Amino acid sequence: MMRPLRYLTPYFLFVLAFLAFTKSGFYCWGPLAYLFFLIPICELFIAPNSDNLSEEQEQAAKSNILFDLVLWLTVPMQLVALYLFLTSLNQGLSIFDTAGRVVTMGLLCGTFGINAAHELGHRVNKFEQFLAKILLLTSLYMHFFIEHNKGHHRHVATSEDPSTAFYKQNLYAFWIQTFVGTQQKAWQIAISESKNKVFNEMALFQLIQFSLLGLIYYFFGGFVLVCFLVAAFIGAALLETVNYIEHYGLQRKQAKTSYERVKPAHSWNSNHALGRLTLFELSRHSDHHYLASRKYQILRHMDDAPQMPTGYPGMILLALIPPLWFKVMHKQMEVYAIIP
């Protein structure tokens, strides 16, 4: 019983977001301080945990529906948070408070609107895939459902993947690459698949997203719409920064016209407990790419996976300062004998 309940800890971010959307001053910036100040500092003093479940524990966890319910709960919580955000902006707020609320919504877009959708989007049943699309809609990132599952996982750690950062490529150059490249890839996949469907899925996603923008403009006005667009961009930038740190400088070997199989060594891994819980085990990324169908609660530490020096929040902060990122990560690549 206690193992599924551990994954309620990410919902503390929703509590902080509620305070941000209903109060003023520092409360508006509480989620940012929690994710990118408190957690990174704590992870400096908490040793990573590389323990895996036993086969018996894994089977029990895999069949325990509580793990799914905890994940499904992100959908109504995200929708409520979005409504509170939209209704909280036309209240004569200061620039400081408005910016804090926009950043808070952006963090929710990244951690729940895209990250939880990432987990649900890998499920095979239509109900959970539908939940994933709802979450992605709140971040205006519905193309991720197509490109991530059918593009990124196939081409990861190759030059064909816009979501893989190359050696010595800084974060800001990577943002341009991935924002443009993943949209192009999603359209290519959707156009190819539309030959066997009655509609183009990417075109449908665009229609849905523009409809949401129209509704926000109609009910809340232009200023709120702009705030939502900024929040959605923050969420997308957060997600793509995570992609940057997950595969930086890692490349699969090419043999003639094909690449070697995706291995744990083609993703950076992190066993830091707080980051793992906050992002539903996303940081055990090596096992996720090795077998994408594995549910978050049974992802394993892989001995041959390169390890990040700290958890995801700390690594994201590091990536924002390219010279510092290169200094730390290139030294880490030497530890694992990773030669680009």
Side-chain angles (χ1 to χ4, degrees):
M1 279 293 294
M2 292 308 296
R3 286 194 59 82
L5 297 182
R6 295 188 313 159
Y7 294 101
L8 289 175
T9 54
Y11 288 88
F12 181 60
L13 188 59
F14 279 124
V15 175
L16 294 177
F18 174 79
L19 295 174
F21 297 151
T22 57
K23 295 183 178 295
S24 60
F26 175 76
Y27 286 104
C28 297
W29 296 89
L32 182 68
Y34 170 68
L35 278 180
F36 292 111
F37 180 75
L38 182 61
I39 290 181
I41 287 180
C42 289
E43 288 197 319
L44 292 176
F45 301 99
I46 301 175
N49 182 357
S50 61
D51 292 343
N52 291 328
L53 300 178
S54 66
E55 288 188 20
E56 183 180 357
Q57 290 172 325
E58 184 175 309
Q59 285 301 119
K62 186 177 180 180
S63 60
N64 189 340
I65 195 173
L66 286 178
F67 287 103
D68 295 329
L69 292 175
V70 167
L71 196 62
W72 298 347
L73 183 61
T74 60
V75 179
M77 293 293 287
Q78 177 74 352
L79 293 176
V80 169
L82 178 59
Y83 177 76
L84 287 176
F85 168 69
L86 295 174
T87 56
S88 75
L89 293 173
N90 287 326
Q91 299 176 359
L93 298 172
S94 67
I95 295 177
F96 179 81
D97 290 353
T98 299
R101 292 183 180 187
V102 170
V103 169
T104 293
M105 190 64 229
L107 296 177
L108 294 183
C109 286
T111 54
F112 294 103
I114 303 179
N115 177 54
H118 163 259
E119 174 68 22
L120 289 165
H122 278 292
R123 305 294 174 86
V124 295
N125 67 78
K126 296 298 182 182
F127 169 69
E128 289 180 299
Q129 290 182 2
F130 175 69
L131 295 182
K133 293 172 185 177
I134 292 177
L135 288 175
L136 290 170
L137 173 60
T138 67
S139 305
L140 300 178
Y141 226 60
M142 296 186 77
H143 73 281
F144 179 84
F145 182 84
I146 299 173
E147 197 282 328
H148 179 83
N149 294 338
K150 300 172 183 178
H152 175 61
H153 271 264
R154 178 182 178 185
H155 300 298
V156 66
T158 74
S159 58
E160 298 177 42
D161 179 33
S163 296
T164 294
F166 303 112
Y167 182 64
K168 291 186 178 180
Q169 182 180 33
N170 69 58
L171 173 64
Y172 306 104
F174 173 75
W175 277 355
I176 297 173
Q177 169 186 296
T178 191
F179 283 139
V180 175
T182 55
Q183 286 279 352
Q184 291 176 336
K185 287 283 187 180
W187 275 109
Q188 291 170 5
I189 294 168
I191 290 171
S192 176
E193 291 185 339
S194 66
K195 298 174 184 177
N196 300 315
K197 293 182 178 180
V198 295
F199 61 88
N200 182 307
E201 195 170 27
M202 262 300 273
L204 177 62
F205 285 171
Q206 304 315 304
L207 177 62
I208 293 171
Q209 290 181 159
F210 277 110
S211 297
L212 174 63
L213 294 178
L215 288 172
I216 292 174
Y217 178 77
Y218 179 80
F219 286 105
F220 301 100
F223 174 72
V224 174
L225 175 61
V226 170
C227 290
F228 172 66
L229 288 171
V230 174
F233 173 77
I234 292 172
L238 181 60
L239 175 276
E240 296 302 353
T241 303
V242 167
N243 270 332
Y244 178 81
I245 68 175
E246 286 172 338
H247 303 290
Y248 173 79
L250 303 178
Q251 291 287 303
R252 287 153 60 191
K253 295 177 182 178
Q254 186 174 13
K256 295 184 179 179
T257 59
S258 62
Y259 291 93
E260 64 177 317
R261 186 195 190 284
V262 178
K263 299 176 182 177
H266 297 129
S267 303
W268 288 98
N269 199 68
S270 171
N271 286 311
H272 291 78
L274 294 180
R276 286 173 53 190
L277 288 175
T278 302
L279 295 174
F280 296 102
E281 301 291 353
L282 179 68
S283 61
R284 282 199 161 178
H285 208 62
S286 298
D287 193 24
H288 169 69
H289 267 279
Y290 186 67
L291 189 60
S293 61
R294 290 182 71 84
K295 291 185 174 183
Y296 73 95
Q297 67 267 27
I298 58 174
L299 289 174
R300 303 162 297 182
H301 163 77
M302 311 290 278
D303 289 333
D304 48 347
Q307 300 297 311
M308 295 179 180
T310 188
Y312 271 31
M315 296 301 296
I316 290 171
L317 292 175
L318 199 64
L320 294 172
I321 310 172
L324 189 57
W325 168 266
F326 293 145
K327 182 177 181 179
V328 172
M329 288 305 293
H330 293 173
K331 185 177 294 185
Q332 197 76 353
M333 294 175 80
E334 291 177 6
V335 170
Y336 290 96
I338 299 171
I339 303 174

